[in-house]
Amino acid sequence: MNVKLFNQRIKNIVDAAAFKEPEKVPVGFEGMYWQYGLTGATLKELNEGDYPFEDHVKRYCRYLNKIEFDYTMNIGGYEAYDAYLALGSDKYPMGRDDCTVQHNQVGYHFMTDEEYELLIAEPAYFMNEYWPKRNVPAFKEPRDKAYAMLKEAAKCVRRSADFESEVCKVGVRDYSIVPVLGMTASVPLNEMKAAGIFDQSDQPEELQYGSRFAMYMSTLDNIHDTYRGMLDTFADLSDNRETLDAAIAAINRVKFEEFKKMPPQMPEPNALPMCGCIFHISAYISLDDQMKYWFEDFRRMLLPWAEAGKKIYMKGEGSFMHVLEPFREFPKGSIIIQLDSDDPFEAKKVIGDHQVICGGFPLALLHLHDLQKCKDQVDRCFNELAPGGGYMFNMDKPLLSPSDGDIGLLRDLYGYINEKAKK
Amino acid sequence: MDAKFDKLINEVTNENNKDYTIQELLDQLLKDDSWEPDPGKRFQTVMMLKSKLNNA
C-alpha cells in the first residue's frame, strides 16, 4: 500500500478545509452501479449467479484502473435489493439493466391520519412492530416461514456489507483512495491497521484515520421519507403542525431511549472519518422551518464533534442554497458541503468563505460527449473555486447506471482534472 | 393500548402473524449462528436489517 500517498491525500483534504491551498485540490468520484458497465456481467449475475464473491469484488474494482481520484463517499455499496426480495417486498427492485437498483416510491401507501395518532400514542410499537407488519409481506406469514424469509434477507444484507467492506479495502490498499465517511470505512480500515497493512503512527493525530463518527438525519426527514410522504408532509407543515410536532417528539423519545442503550461516543480529534448528514426535505422548506426541524438537533448532536476537530460531510439532494447561511455557526472549515442542484459559484459567495464547497461539475455535461466543454467547466471550477483553499472537486451527482457516463470520456476527463488539481 | 386503535391493529394482524412479534424474530436471528458464525457481524447485520424493516 502506498501509505505516503494515502497520508498526503488526507493532508490535502485537511489543508483545503483549513483554507490553505493544498498540494493538490482533492478530487472526488462517486459511482454506485455505473461500475457494472465494466464488469462483463450484471450485478444480478455477479451477486446471484455462480460467480465467486472474490470475482465480484475484482470485476467491480476494474474502474479503479481507469479513473484516478483521491476520495469518495461511497466506495462499493449497493442496496441489498435481494434482501427486500427475500422478504417479499418490492421497495428496492432491480432495474431492467440488471445492474441498477431502483427505489420504488410509486406504490407507497403512506401513513393515514388514524395511523398518525397511533404513531404519537405508541411510537415504539408503531415503528418496530406495526409498520413492518403492515408493509413487509414476510410478516403476513406464520412464524416459521416468516423467520426463514428474514434469515434469507439477513444473509443478503451480510453479503452486501461484506462486499462494500472488501471493495473499500481494495480501494485503500491498492489505490490509496480515502473513504471520507465512517459508515463505509472505519471497520475495514481499522482491520487493515490491526493487520499491519498500514501504519499512520508517525502522523499527527488530526491526520490519522480514526474510528469514531456520528451520522445525523432529522426526524422530519424520517417522517417525510418513510411515513408521511412528500405531499402529506407539506400539508402537515401548512395546516397540521400540532400533529407533526407531536409525531416528531414521539419518535425522538424512542430514538433517545435507543441512544441510551448504546456505548457513549466521545468525539475524537481525527478529521477523518467524517461525520455525515443528509439533506432531503431541506430543499423544500423555509429557513425558519429548517432551523426548527433540522438545524437545532444537528447543532446539538454534531457541534461537539466539529469543535473537537472532526469534519462533517453534508450530502444534499436538490437545491438548498437558502439554508446554508446558519452553517457559519460551526467552526470554519468543519463542514464539507457537497452541492447537488445549486450553482457552486453562487454557493461560494454565500458560505464558501467559511465552509468547504464540494462539487462544481454537472454530471449532465458528460452526456454532451464533448471533452472540451467538460474541460472548460473543470477550468472554471479550479480558477474560481480553488484559490485560497476551501474547495474539493466532485460531480454534482453520482454516476448511478452504466449508461450515466462513457468510460473513455471519464478517463480522459479525470486525467485532465488531476493535472489541473495540482498546484 | 387504547381500544380506538384496535381496528388499525387488526388490519395488520392475521391468524398467521398474531403469535409473534418482529422483535422476537430479530432476537432469534441474533442467537442463530447457522447463517453467520461471527457474533459481531451477526449483531451488525441484525441492526442493519432492523433499520430496513423500520423504514419499509
Side-chain angles (χ1 to χ4, degrees), chain B residues 2 4-5 12 16 18 20 23-24 26 28 34-37 42 44 48 50-51 53:
Chain B
D2 194 316
K4 71 177 177 181
F5 299 123
V12 302
N16 288 335
K18 69 178 183 186
Y20 66 84
Q23 191 56 52
E24 283 169 8
L26 291 171
Q28 189 179 342
S34 68
W35 63 275
E36 171 56 61
R42 233 171 24 241
Q44 185 201 32
M48 291 163 83
K50 185 178 178 188
S51 165
L53 298 179

Side-chain angles (χ1 to χ4, degrees), chain A residues 79 84 91 117-118 122 127-129 131 133 135 139-141 143 146-147 151 154 158 162 226, chain B residues 1 4-5 9 12 14 16-17 20-22 24 28-29 32 34 41 44-45 52 54-56:
Chain A
E79 183 59 68
Y84 289 93
K91 186 171 179 183
E117 285 187 48
L118 178 60
E122 303 285 347
M127 293 159 72
N128 299 325
E129 188 67 26
W131 196 251
K133 274 192 175 168
N135 297 314
F139 304 131
K140 303 287 183 210
E141 302 292 343
R143 175 189 277 265
Y147 183 70
K151 189 155 85 170
R158 186 67 253 155
D162 285 342
T226 302
Chain B
M1 183 104 50
K4 71 177 177 181
F5 299 123
I9 292 165
V12 302
N14 61 27
N16 288 335
N17 68 14
Y20 66 84
T21 66
I22 308 299
E24 283 169 8
Q28 189 179 342
L29 206 53
D32 180 355
S34 68
K41 281 191 171 185
Q44 185 201 32
T45 312
K52 289 182 190 300
N54 287 2
N55 296 323

